[in-house]
Amino acid sequence: MTSFAIVGSGWRSEYFWRTAAELDGLACVGVVSRSPKDLPVPVHLSLDECLASAKPDFVVTATPWSVTPSLIVELVEQGVPVLAETPPAPDLDGLRQLWNAVGDRRLVQVAEQYSRMPAHAARVALVRSGVIGDPTRADVSSTHQYHAVSLIRTLLGVGRGPLEVRAVRMTAPLADPLSRAGWADQVEIKTATTTIATLVFGEGGYGVYDFTDNQWHNQLLMRRLLVRGTLGELRDDEVVRLAADRTIVRSPIVRRQTGYDLDLDGFDTDHITFGSDVLYRNPFQGTRWNDEEIAIATLLQDTAAWVAGSGPEPYPLADGIHDHRVALAIAEAADRGTAVSVEDEPWSGSQALRGTS
């Protein structure tokens, strides 16, 4: 049994203790909160109390950006492995200070879950299979900042090297019917900001970042993802490719979802296929989880395996820091209206992201 504790009791914290309750071999042994809470897991009013009494094998930091860096340092100084919520620090100075303090200890992973979501994991697997050749461009329009950067880098398979960023912002009126709080009783037309950026990676590859305010929740906005390779393109759930001389083929990526019509097995994700190839198989069938819950459960299991010495690093601190460094460059480029160069940093290297475990 691998145990973990969570610092923070907000809505992100709930995902971790709630999914862990359904996982064999993994237990949430406590939540650290500044005030008493009525939760189905033990609540500790201080980190020291939690570490002393619960003795977790690792700690999840689900805390505000401003708090996370000092908390990570405190845990690492006590030799406790950390799974830090994104981003690990709010600004460039904070990222550099955090790396200087704990980077060489290799005790910190970042809770970057997007490439572990079923649909994205399937797309990553397809790109890695070589069906569309070598990936040269990735466009992501669905999520923001470091999450989108992570997806772009993972799909392209590029590491933490230098790149050049250009970006623009624009505003336009848009209906906003749905947010994290639920449906709006009266839909308002609001001014929404869209940021579009291009990322030119020094080691090869081109990324397009496109995000509009509240795109996570506003279902009026289509999610769009494209990966171009030397032999074709993946667009959302469809692939066009050169299969042979004079032979261009279009094929769908198909998600099998149970619970429809006369399927009485219950609503659940089964698997995702491309032709006869299974790109992704849901390891948590029967839980009825959404994609976010599946991704977080996978991340928790991967972190437990890393802590136990039986698996690779799920998402190293260096990658999480680099993703946010690029996200900061996107904002800077949009602010300035000029290109921004991301140069080598102490966490840089040629190690490429190769998808999910």
Side-chain angles (χ1 to χ4, degrees):
M1 179 67 69
T2 302
S3 65
F4 71 95
I6 308 166
V7 181
S9 56
W11 69 277
R12 291 301 298 173
S13 173
E14 180 183 349
Y15 271 91
F16 290 99
W17 58 253
R18 182 162 46 80
T19 54
E22 302 290 334
L23 299 176
D24 294 333
L26 192 62
C28 178
V29 292
V31 168
V32 178
S33 173
R34 289 179 296 181
S35 59
K37 303 278 185 179
D38 183 15
L39 300 178
V41 294
V43 174
H44 304 270
L45 298 182
S46 75
L47 177 60
D48 289 341
E49 174 198 339
C50 177
L51 295 178
S53 61
K55 296 181 171 55
D57 294 309
F58 67 94
V59 170
V60 176
T61 61
T63 50
W65 291 10
S66 58
V67 175
T68 300
S70 60
L71 179 58
I72 292 173
V73 172
E74 181 180 356
L75 287 162
V76 169
E77 287 178 348
Q78 297 187 60
V80 179
V82 179
L83 179 62
E85 264 289 353
T86 51
D91 53 33
L92 184 54
D93 286 343
L95 294 173
R96 288 169 174 162
Q97 290 168 10
L98 178 61
W99 182 260
N100 289 336
V102 303
D104 60 351
R105 299 287 297 275
R106 301 185 72 95
L107 281 176
V108 184
Q109 303 297 312
V110 173
E112 177 51 64
Q113 81 279 16
Y114 270 77
S115 62
R116 289 171 167 81
M117 289 181 170
H120 290 322
R123 294 176 182 122
V124 170
L126 186 139
V127 172
R128 294 289 174 264
S129 75
V131 164
I132 61 170
D134 296 327
T136 59
R137 170 177 167 174
D139 301 10
V140 172
S141 180
S142 64
T143 187
H144 80 325
Q145 296 181 351
Y146 35 83
H147 294 311
V149 173
S150 173
L151 277 176
I152 290 170
R153 292 202 305 121
T154 300
L155 289 163
L156 289 174
V158 298
R160 303 182 292 267
L163 67 148
E164 182 180 83
V165 179
R166 296 178 184 271
V168 294
R169 288 195 191 99
M170 60 208 76
T171 60
L174 178 68
D176 193 20
L178 194 63
S179 69
R180 188 189 301 165
W183 288 98
D185 291 331
Q186 183 173 358
V187 177
E188 296 182 31
I189 306 295
K190 300 179 180 179
T191 299
T193 299
T194 296
T195 302
I196 299 176
T198 58
L199 315 176
V200 181
F201 295 93
E203 60 193 274
Y206 183 84
V208 177
Y209 169 98
D210 182 349
F211 182 76
T212 299
D213 290 346
N214 196 35
Q215 192 165 346
W216 317 278
H217 302 287
N218 192 338
Q219 299 300 308
L220 297 176
L221 299 172
M222 297 283 193
R223 282 87 176 112
R224 299 182 302 280
L225 187 145
L226 180 141
V227 185
R228 179 173 297 165
T230 52
L231 297 176
E233 282 188 343
L234 157 67
R235 185 192 65 187
D236 298 331
D237 296 322
E238 185 180 24
V239 175
V240 60
R241 68 195 189 282
L242 185 66
D245 290 343
R246 301 191 179 190
T247 309
I248 294 176
V249 177
R250 284 183 180 268
S251 307
I253 298 172
V254 179
R255 180 170 182 151
R256 182 173 186 271
Q257 197 82 21
T258 63
Y260 287 106
D261 194 25
L262 295 180
D263 185 338
L264 304 182
D265 288 339
F267 189 77
D268 213 350
T269 295
D270 186 5
H271 56 242
I272 302 174
T273 57
F274 180 72
S276 60
D277 295 329
V278 177
L279 300 175
Y280 177 87
R281 195 179 298 277
N282 182 9
F284 309 112
Q285 287 194 36
T287 59
R288 318 293 186 232
W289 280 339
N290 63 35
D291 284 7
E292 178 85 355
E293 291 165 325
I294 289 172
I296 288 176
T298 304
L299 179 62
L300 280 173
Q301 286 191 332
D302 292 346
T303 304
W306 164 68
V307 168
S310 58
E313 295 180 276
Y315 206 83
L317 177 63
D319 285 307
I321 284 180
H322 186 71
D323 293 339
H324 193 44
R325 169 67 185 102
V326 177
L328 292 171
I330 291 172
E332 182 183 354
D335 289 342
R336 291 169 41 183
T338 60
V340 172
S341 295
V342 175
E343 305 295 346
D344 280 329
E345 296 278 356
W347 56 80
S348 302
S350 60
Q351 180 184 4
L353 292 176
R354 291 300 175 189
T356 62
S357 55

